[in-house]
Amino acid sequence: MAGRAQPVGHRTGVGAAALVAVLILGSLLAVALRAEVGRGLGPSDWAAVRFTLWQAVLSAVFSVGLAVPLARALARRRFAGRRLLIALLGAPFILPVIVAVLGLLDVFGRSGWISIALGWFGLEPLQIYGLHGVVLAHVFFNLPLATRLILQGWQEIPAEQFRLAAHLGATSADMWRLLERPMLERIVPGVLAVVFAICLTSFAVALTLGGGPGATTIELAIYQAFRFDFDLERAALLSCVQIFLTGAAALIALRTARGDEFGAGLDRVVQRWDARAGLARTVDVGVIALAALFLVLPLSAIVLAGLPGLALLPASVFAAAANSVLVASVSTVVLVLLAVPMALAVATGWSRSVELAGLLGLAVSPLVIGTGLFVAVHAVADPFALALPVTALVNAVMSLPFALRILVPRARQVVDRHGPLALSLDMAGAPFLRLVVLPRMRAQIGFAAGLAAALSMGDLGVIALFADPERATLPLQVYRLMGAYQMQAAAGAALLLLVLSVAAFWLLDRGGRWHAEA
């Protein structure tokens, strides 16, 4: 396809991919050159490595282990609000981590709702800080993702398979053995690897719920080496360890991904006759209800605790909110300028190199990229003065893999369907882009932009390295209020952050779909 004449050029997309690759690989090179390999890791560093691996293993096992019965229940049941619940499973993805942590504290903390209820029976309050708190937060974020991925596996089993099994008199145990367990053996290893990789690079959760000597992750150790010791060599060495672990986890995730083995069906609605028994119905309803409570209670706590705190917000919160809006706006613009040309380059046949550059953001932690940029900039300029633009740039690169996944299928469809006619009309380049591509990709561009804006608005990563007392985004300001034990003000700021993140996503997504071709 790349050898044929195309209505839109690929050079801009290839150039954008090259810029992304240079940014990421250049940051990694700066980290590698600064690291003193002969220095080795100290006892506290090895403790951070062990804790990072252990919490990632526990988080993956609990997230996926709980997702299997939830996905099975959703696959077997049809009820009012089912689509809303499945849509709710996507909410934690755009929910700012610091906001979710405050919600979890309001529910599971020492003064939280559950601890208050335990006090009625004379029981001790819950302890959320440390390993169990980190794992709890990771399950909150990754249970919905694991459920969606496993539910997709259940939906890939053709309805005809279940109809045949029911016709042959198969019991629920037989269907589990013949259909469901083989599917899970195919799907679950890959989902475990994906969740494990995500939890390896979790920074904000460990920063807020861990942080003690026994609950420090590698990324938190990198942050501490920067902010407290200003030991760039140790931070760079830890970054190399993080790169190795995340790269290994990404390879495992790719190796464990397996294709569909159930064949095609006639797209009929799945009917589960084996699920009509009273016990199966009770179990499924209980699982769905508990999962819904686990997701809804922290979100409700954020709203209930945040409303009184809005009146206590200091001026610094509104300044930080303005910075967050600015960073999210710049990050979104940069993302669109990178992602649209790259998606068109992929659509015109340059898929391998361009997609590889776009996927680099999944294999590298943003904190590691921030470390490399800090090391590179530190020799020639004041890194703290560049806190906001660097944060916006890294956030855009981190959102790029998700944006490409949204844009590339539609870009291919538009180029394949309208490209030949455009060439016959001598419509190529800018006219084709303006009159054909952009109007037909508005919905996808709006969705990708909204996702990038929400993720950037709630990010607490790179800004933690570069920020000084004069420059902070809203997530960092929420963390500072929590550190100063101003919990009511922190709750109000968290609610403001939640509203801004959801509004950014809704406005851009809705704006892209308004009058857009479906």
Side-chain angles (χ1 to χ4, degrees), residues 47-65 130-139 142 191-202 205-206 215-219 242 245-246 249 252:
V49 172
R50 288 191 296 270
F51 179 80
T52 300
L53 293 173
W54 182 231
Q55 62 83 21
V57 168
L58 290 178
S59 299
V61 169
F62 280 112
S63 297
V64 177
L131 174 63
H132 46 289
V134 172
V135 173
L136 175 68
H138 282 162
V139 171
N142 294 297
V191 178
L192 277 169
V194 168
V195 175
F196 176 78
I198 292 173
C199 294
L200 277 180
T201 59
S202 174
V205 169
T216 298
T217 61
I218 297 175
E219 295 219 337
Q242 181 75 318
L245 292 178
T246 53
I252 292 172

Side-chain angles (χ1 to χ4, degrees), residues 59-361:
S59 299
V61 169
F62 280 112
S63 297
V64 177
L66 295 173
V68 170
L70 177 57
R72 191 185 195 212
L74 290 172
R76 297 201 300 186
R77 300 296 164 194
R78 296 294 183 272
F79 54 89
R82 180 177 179 272
R83 288 188 177 183
L84 178 61
L85 178 59
I86 293 176
L88 182 64
L89 293 176
F93 188 73
I94 64 170
L95 186 67
V97 175
I98 193 71
V99 174
V101 167
L102 274 174
L104 292 172
L105 285 172
D106 286 335
V107 177
F108 299 98
R110 284 185 59 86
S111 302
W113 297 351
I114 294 180
S115 292
I116 292 174
L118 291 176
W120 296 340
F121 300 96
L123 300 176
E124 292 292 323
L126 297 177
Q127 300 286 344
I128 194 173
Y129 292 99
L131 174 63
H132 46 289
V134 172
V135 173
L136 175 68
H138 282 162
V139 171
F140 176 79
F141 283 107
N142 294 297
L143 172 62
L145 172 64
T147 301
R148 292 289 292 266
L149 294 175
I150 296 174
L151 179 61
Q152 184 177 349
W154 246 290
Q155 292 171 339
E156 288 175 355
I157 303 177
E160 289 74 20
Q161 299 271 10
F162 292 106
R163 294 171 66 92
L164 178 60
H167 180 72
L168 296 175
T171 64
S172 180
D174 294 328
M175 289 190 180
W176 170 264
R177 177 172 55 86
L178 297 173
L179 296 176
E180 296 176 315
R181 191 176 70 186
M183 179 274 295
L184 290 175
E185 290 174 350
R186 224 172 18 89
I187 297 293
V188 165
V191 178
L192 277 169
V194 168
V195 175
F196 176 78
I198 292 173
C199 294
L200 277 180
T201 59
S202 174
F203 170 67
V205 169
L207 180 66
T208 51
L209 296 178
T216 298
T217 61
I218 297 175
E219 295 219 337
L220 190 52
I222 295 171
Y223 169 75
Q224 291 169 348
F226 258 125
R227 300 300 295 184
F228 302 124
D229 304 326
F230 200 66
D231 189 346
L232 297 183
E233 287 76 14
R234 177 168 172 257
L237 182 59
L238 287 168
S239 298
C240 291
V241 175
Q242 181 75 318
I243 292 167
F244 172 78
L245 292 178
T246 53
L251 288 176
I252 292 172
L254 290 175
R255 291 292 298 270
T256 52
R258 297 166 59 184
D260 185 11
E261 297 177 356
F262 285 97
L266 299 178
D267 295 329
R268 292 173 175 168
V269 176
V270 175
Q271 298 185 43
R272 298 293 301 271
W273 292 271
D274 61 308
R276 294 179 178 177
L279 180 60
R281 185 185 302 274
T282 301
V283 170
D284 287 349
V285 170
V287 168
I288 293 171
L290 288 175
L293 282 175
F294 182 59
L295 293 176
V296 170
L297 284 180
L299 297 176
S300 303
I302 294 166
V303 176
L304 294 177
L307 287 174
L310 291 175
L312 303 174
L313 294 181
S316 59
V317 168
F318 297 103
N323 286 336
S324 286
V325 172
L326 176 62
V327 167
S329 301
V330 173
S331 180
T332 303
V333 171
V334 171
L335 173 84
V336 172
L337 293 178
L338 291 173
V340 172
M342 289 175 67
L344 291 173
V346 172
T348 53
W350 293 78
S351 59
R352 180 171 299 180
S353 57
V354 174
E355 284 188 315
L356 180 61
L359 291 174
L360 285 175

